[in-house]
């Protein structure tokens, strides 16, 4: 019973973390551009936790982050579905082909995750709203966003590893 309660608390903290990242994204980060683009904080937070053993928490985080993105603009489920597709593909892809978690692998997952997320986002927008697929997907802005998100995933995972190391040093058994 204690283990289930601990798992629920961890899941709630993760969902709160993604909620804060999404609110921070739609209220603050979207107003300031870095070389013509902004990082996708929810995608960064989700890809950092792609190897999380509690995959249900990552799915719930994708649902919460996508819903906040959609509520902040047109509520059309495009962000919601794009987050879900990307996270599910990367979870099964990583589970099948990745043998060992590596920090530099997270950088690659950040870049590839941005490609997959934007591919699904632009593709769904193209089919639903006739958005121009090629204009954004093959732009320099998209390349910069890939690099920023990859670096963001790497930095978030580096910070998480630092705290795990600190925790293991403080509470030695």
């Amino acid at each position: 019973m204690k283990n289930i309660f601990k798992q629920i608390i961890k899941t709630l903290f993760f969902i709160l973390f993604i909620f804060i990242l999404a609110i921070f994204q739609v209220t603050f980060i979207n107003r300031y551009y870095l070389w013509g683009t902004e990082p996708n904080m929810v995608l960064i937070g989700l890809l950092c936790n792609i190897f999380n053993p509690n995959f249900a928490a990552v799915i719930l985080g994708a649902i919460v982050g996508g819903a906040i993105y959609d509520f902040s603009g047109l509520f059309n489920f495009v962000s919601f579905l794009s987050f879900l597709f990307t996270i599910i593909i990367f979870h099964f892809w990583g589970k099948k082909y990745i043998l060992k978690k590596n920090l530099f692998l997270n950088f690659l997952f950040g870049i590839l995750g941005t490609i997959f997320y934007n591919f699904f986002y632009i593709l769904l927008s193209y089919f639903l709203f006739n958005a121009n697929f090629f204009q954004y997907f093959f732009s320099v802005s998209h390349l910069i966003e890939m690099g920023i998100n990859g670096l963001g995933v790497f930095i978030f995972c580096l910070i998480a590893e630092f705290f795990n190391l600190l925790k293991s040093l403080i509470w030695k058994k």
Side-chain angles (χ1 to χ4, degrees), residues 36-55:
T37 188
E38 68 271 344
N40 189 336
M41 297 303 289
V42 171
L43 184 64
I44 290 171
L46 291 172
L47 288 174
C48 286
N49 291 290
I50 200 71
F51 294 112
N52 189 344
N54 185 5
F55 187 61

Side-chain angles (χ1 to χ4, degrees), residues 4-5 11-12 25 45 49 62-64 73 76-77 80 91 101 115 120 125 132 134-135 144 149 155 162-163 170:
I4 294 172
F5 182 70
T11 302
L12 289 176
Q25 176 81 36
N49 291 290
I63 290 169
V64 167
N76 53 15
F77 296 107
F80 172 79
H91 177 73
K101 181 181 165 187
I115 292 171
F120 291 127
S125 295
N132 194 343
F134 297 104
Q135 183 179 0
I144 294 171
N149 287 346
I155 290 171
F162 172 75
F163 283 119
I170 291 173

Side-chain angles (χ1 to χ4, degrees), residues 27-40:
T27 59
F28 181 72
I29 292 179
N30 282 347
R31 296 178 189 202
Y32 302 103
Y33 291 99
L34 184 64
W35 295 302
T37 188
E38 68 271 344
N40 189 336

